[in-house]
Amino acid sequence: MRETDVDTMEMMKSMPMGSMPMDMMAMQDCIQSLNACSMAATMCAGADMTEMDMAKCTAMCSNMADMADATMRMMMRPAGMDMEVMKAMLMACMTMGKACAAECRMHADMAEHCRYCAMACDDMVMKCEAMMAQVA
Amino acid sequence: MRETDVDTMEMMKSMPMGSMPMDMMAMQDCIQSLNACSMAATMCAGADMTEMDMAKCTAMCSNMADMADATMRMMMRPAGMDMEVMKAMLMACMTMGKACAAECRMHADMAEHCRYCAMACDDMVMKCEAMMAQVA
Amino acid sequence: MRETDVDTMEMMKSMPMGSMPMDMMAMQDCIQSLNACSMAATMCAGADMTEMDMAKCTAMCSNMADMADATMRMMMRPAGMDMEVMKAMLMACMTMGKACAAECRMHADMAEHCRYCAMACDDMVMKCEAMMAQVA
Amino acid sequence: MRETDVDTMEMMKSMPMGSMPMDMMAMQDCIQSLNACSMAATMCAGADMTEMDMAKCTAMCSNMADMADATMRMMMRPAGMDMEVMKAMLMACMTMGKACAAECRMHADMAEHCRYCAMACDDMVMKCEAMMAQVA
C-alpha cells in the first residue's frame, strides 16, 4: 500500500486547487498528518476501551478522530474553501490536538498506543500551524 | 419516530453530565439543532449534486454536515469534555454555519432545500451562541 | 427544534428522488430511525466510557453510530443510489443493529442509556426491514 | 509523514487484538487500503463537484468514503468485534467498491482523479476479499 499512499498524494496534484490562495505543499503535509492523527486516535480509543480508568483518553481520542476527519475532508473540497472557516477549523483542531496529546502523554509509559497517538497529535498540530501561517 | 426523538433527549438526562460546568438545557437545544443542521446540509448537498452550477453549495453543505456531526458527538462524550476545545469547536461551527447559510440563501428562491438548509444553519448558529454564553 | 425536525422531513419531499424505485414514506421512516439510532448509540457509548466493564458495549455502540450515519447519508444522495449497494448496506446495518441491541439489552436494567439504545436499535432494524421489502 | 504512516501500522501491533480469530496481516492490509480508498473517494467527490455532469460520481464517491471510514473504524475497535457484523460490513463495502470503481472507470480517460479512485476501490475490494477469506 506504500504505492497507493503515494498515489493518493499524486492524485492531489490533479485536483482543481489552482484558484486557492494556499501553499499546496503545506496543505498536502497537513492532510497526511491529519489522516495519520485520525487513525492513531481511532486506534488509541479502540484500545483504551479495553483498559481500566481510560474514560477521558477514550473520549478525547474519539473527539480528536472526528475533528481530524472533518478538517481533512474540508481540505479535499476545493469548491467550498472559505478562509475564515478554514482558519477557525484549524484553530479548533490544533486546540484539540494539544489537549489530546497532553492526555495521551500521561499514559505513554504504560500504553504504547498512547505514545504513538501523542506523537501523531503533535505532528498534526505542527503541520496545521505551518498551514495556518500560509492562510493568515 | 416522534416518540424515539423524545426518548433521545430523555436519554440525555440519564448521562453522566453532572460534573460539567454547563447548562444542560442549552446543550440539549444545541445538540438537537446541530443534528437538524447536519441532516439538512447532507440533504442539501445531495440535491445540489443533481443540479447545475452548485459546486460551492455542494461542498459547503458537505463541510457543514461533517463539522456539525463532529461538534454534536463531542457534546455526547462527557468524559472528554474540555472547555477550551469546546469553545474553539463552537466557534468553528458557527463560522461554518454563517458561511453555509449565506451560500444557501443565494439559491433559496430557486431551491426549497437551500431555503431549509439556510434556516437550519441559522438556528444552529443561534443555539451555539447560547451555549457559548454558558461556557465562556 | 420540534419545528426544524418537521422541516427536515418536509425538506425531504423537495429532493430529486422521483426516479428512484422506492417507497418514499418507507425511506423517510428509515432515515428518521437511523438518525435516532445513531444519536442513541453515540450517547450510549459516551456514557459507557465512564463506567466499568463496558468495553464491548462502548465499541459496539460506536460501530453502530458510524454505520447508521453512513447508511443514512447514502439515502440522502439520490444521484448515487444503487440498489445492490443499498441492499447490502441495509443488511449490514440490520446485522449491527441486532448485535448492538442484544449487547445493550444485557445492561438495560442497570443503565437507562442502554435501555434507550436497545429500543432505538430495534426500531431501526424494523424500519430497515420495511424498506428492504420495498427495494427487493 | 512517511515515518508516522509506518508508526500507525506499528501501533496496530500494540493493540489488544490477540483474542480475535483473525489474521492480523490481512486486517492491517485491509485497514490501509480502506484508508487510501476513503481518501481517494473524498478527493474524487471534491473534484467532481467542480465539473459538469458528474452527479452520480460525486454521490457514489461520497458514499464510498463514508462506508470505507465506517468499516475501517470497526476494525480498530477490537472489543466490539462481531464476526457476523464484520462479514456483512465487508460485503457491503465490497459491493460499494465495485459500483464506485465501475462509475469512476467511465471517466478515467478524462479525469485523473477518477482513474486513481477506481484503482483505490479495486485494491480495497481485493484486500477485503482476502480478509473475508480469513473470517469466513
Side-chain angles (χ1 to χ4, degrees):
Chain A
M1 279 304 298
R2 287 304 89 180
E3 297 74 28
T4 310
D5 278 5
V6 175
D7 281 353
T8 308
M9 283 309 116
E10 201 56 40
M11 184 178 167
M12 195 84 207
K13 293 181 196 160
S14 72
M15 290 193 74
M17 299 291 193
S19 57
M20 288 192 300
M22 228 177 276
D23 182 76
M24 279 303 103
M25 279 303 291
M27 196 164 85
Q28 284 184 33
D29 282 353
C30 203
I31 288 172
Q32 283 188 298
S33 187
L34 283 161
N35 183 47
C37 177
S38 167
M39 292 185 80
T42 304
M43 281 195 233
C44 194
D48 284 339
M49 287 172 195
T50 67
E51 294 160 7
M52 300 279 289
D53 300 323
M54 295 294 266
K56 190 175 180 186
C57 199
T58 312
M60 285 198 128
C61 289
S62 300
N63 291 345
M64 179 74 262
D66 288 340
M67 281 179 67
D69 280 354
T71 308
M72 179 171 57
R73 285 174 167 221
M74 184 181 291
M75 291 182 192
M76 293 172 169
R77 294 176 183 135
M81 205 62 84
D82 176 296
M83 287 307 119
E84 289 312 305
V85 176
M86 180 60 81
K87 277 189 271 185
M89 192 68 201
L90 283 170
M91 195 60 78
C93 204
M94 288 187 287
T95 308
M96 179 82 250
K98 285 170 192 167
C100 191
E103 173 63 25
C104 280
R105 197 148 278 130
M106 294 175 65
H107 322 292
D109 288 343
M110 300 177 310
E112 192 68 358
H113 54 84
C114 285
R115 197 174 68 77
Y116 278 124
C117 187
M119 280 166 45
C121 287
D122 286 347
D123 185 79
M124 180 276 286
V125 171
M126 197 174 66
K127 300 291 162 55
C128 285
E129 269 165 10
M131 191 175 148
M132 193 67 132
Q134 299 286 337
V135 299
Chain B
M1 279 305 297
R2 285 308 86 184
E3 296 73 28
T4 309
D5 278 5
V6 174
D7 281 353
T8 308
M9 283 308 117
E10 201 56 40
M11 185 178 166
M12 195 85 207
K13 294 181 195 159
S14 72
M15 291 194 74
M17 298 291 193
S19 58
M20 288 193 299
M22 228 176 277
D23 181 77
M24 280 303 103
M25 279 304 291
M27 197 164 85
Q28 285 184 32
D29 282 353
C30 205
I31 288 173
Q32 282 188 297
S33 187
L34 282 161
N35 182 48
C37 177
S38 167
M39 291 185 80
T42 304
M43 281 194 233
C44 194
D48 283 340
M49 287 172 195
T50 67
E51 294 159 7
M52 301 280 289
D53 299 323
M54 294 295 266
K56 190 176 181 186
C57 198
T58 312
M60 285 198 128
C61 289
S62 300
N63 291 345
M64 179 73 264
D66 287 340
M67 283 180 67
D69 280 354
T71 307
M72 178 171 58
R73 285 173 165 221
M74 183 180 293
M75 293 182 192
M76 293 173 169
R77 294 176 184 136
M81 206 62 85
D82 176 295
M83 287 307 119
E84 289 312 304
V85 176
M86 181 59 81
K87 277 189 270 185
M89 193 67 200
L90 283 170
M91 195 60 77
C93 204
M94 288 186 287
T95 309
M96 179 80 250
K98 285 170 192 167
C100 191
E103 174 62 26
C104 279
R105 196 147 278 129
M106 293 175 65
H107 322 292
D109 288 343
M110 298 177 312
E112 192 69 356
H113 54 83
C114 286
R115 196 174 68 77
Y116 278 124
C117 188
M119 279 166 44
C121 288
D122 285 348
D123 184 79
M124 180 275 286
V125 171
M126 197 173 67
K127 300 291 162 55
C128 286
E129 269 165 8
M131 191 175 149
M132 194 66 132
Q134 299 286 338
V135 299
Chain C
M1 279 306 297
R2 288 303 87 181
E3 297 72 29
T4 309
D5 279 5
V6 175
D7 281 352
T8 308
M9 283 308 116
E10 200 56 40
M11 185 178 167
M12 195 84 206
K13 293 182 196 159
S14 72
M15 290 194 73
M17 298 290 192
S19 57
M20 288 193 300
M22 229 176 277
D23 182 76
M24 280 303 103
M25 279 304 289
M27 196 163 86
Q28 283 185 34
D29 282 352
C30 204
I31 287 172
Q32 282 188 298
S33 187
L34 283 161
N35 182 46
C37 178
S38 166
M39 291 185 81
T42 303
M43 281 194 232
C44 194
D48 284 339
M49 287 172 195
T50 68
E51 294 160 7
M52 301 279 289
D53 301 322
M54 295 294 268
K56 191 175 180 187
C57 198
T58 312
M60 285 198 128
C61 289
S62 300
N63 291 345
M64 179 74 262
D66 287 340
M67 281 179 67
D69 281 354
T71 308
M72 178 171 58
R73 284 174 166 220
M74 184 180 291
M75 292 181 192
M76 293 172 169
R77 292 175 184 136
M81 206 62 84
D82 176 297
M83 288 307 119
E84 288 312 305
V85 177
M86 181 59 81
K87 277 189 271 184
M89 193 67 200
L90 283 171
M91 194 61 76
C93 204
M94 289 188 286
T95 309
M96 179 80 250
K98 285 170 193 168
C100 191
E103 174 62 25
C104 279
R105 198 147 277 132
M106 293 175 65
H107 321 293
D109 288 343
M110 299 177 311
E112 191 69 357
H113 53 82
C114 286
R115 196 174 68 78
Y116 279 123
C117 188
M119 280 166 44
C121 287
D122 286 347
D123 185 79
M124 179 275 286
V125 170
M126 197 174 66
K127 300 292 161 55
C128 284
E129 268 164 10
M131 192 175 148
M132 194 66 132
Q134 299 286 337
V135 299
Chain D
M1 280 306 297
R2 287 305 86 182
E3 298 73 27
T4 309
D5 279 4
V6 174
D7 280 354
T8 308
M9 283 308 116
E10 201 57 40
M11 185 179 166
M12 196 84 206
K13 293 182 195 159
S14 72
M15 290 193 76
M17 298 292 192
S19 57
M20 288 192 301
M22 229 178 276
D23 181 77
M24 280 303 103
M25 280 304 291
M27 196 163 86
Q28 284 184 34
D29 282 353
C30 203
I31 288 172
Q32 283 188 295
S33 187
L34 283 161
N35 182 46
C37 177
S38 166
M39 292 186 79
T42 304
M43 281 195 232
C44 194
D48 284 340
M49 287 171 195
T50 67
E51 293 160 10
M52 300 281 288
D53 300 323
M54 294 294 266
K56 190 176 181 186
C57 198
T58 312
M60 286 198 127
C61 289
S62 300
N63 291 345
M64 178 75 263
D66 288 339
M67 282 180 67
D69 281 354
T71 307
M72 178 171 59
R73 285 173 165 220
M74 183 180 292
M75 292 182 192
M76 293 172 169
R77 294 175 183 137
M81 206 63 83
D82 176 296
M83 286 308 119
E84 288 313 304
V85 176
M86 181 60 81
K87 276 189 272 186
M89 193 67 200
L90 284 170
M91 195 61 76
C93 204
M94 288 187 287
T95 308
M96 179 80 250
K98 284 171 193 168
C100 191
E103 174 63 26
C104 279
R105 198 146 278 130
M106 292 175 64
H107 321 291
D109 287 344
M110 298 177 312
E112 192 68 358
H113 54 82
C114 286
R115 196 174 68 77
Y116 278 124
C117 188
M119 279 167 44
C121 288
D122 286 347
D123 185 78
M124 180 275 285
V125 171
M126 197 174 66
K127 299 292 162 56
C128 286
E129 269 164 10
M131 192 176 148
M132 193 66 132
Q134 299 285 339
V135 299

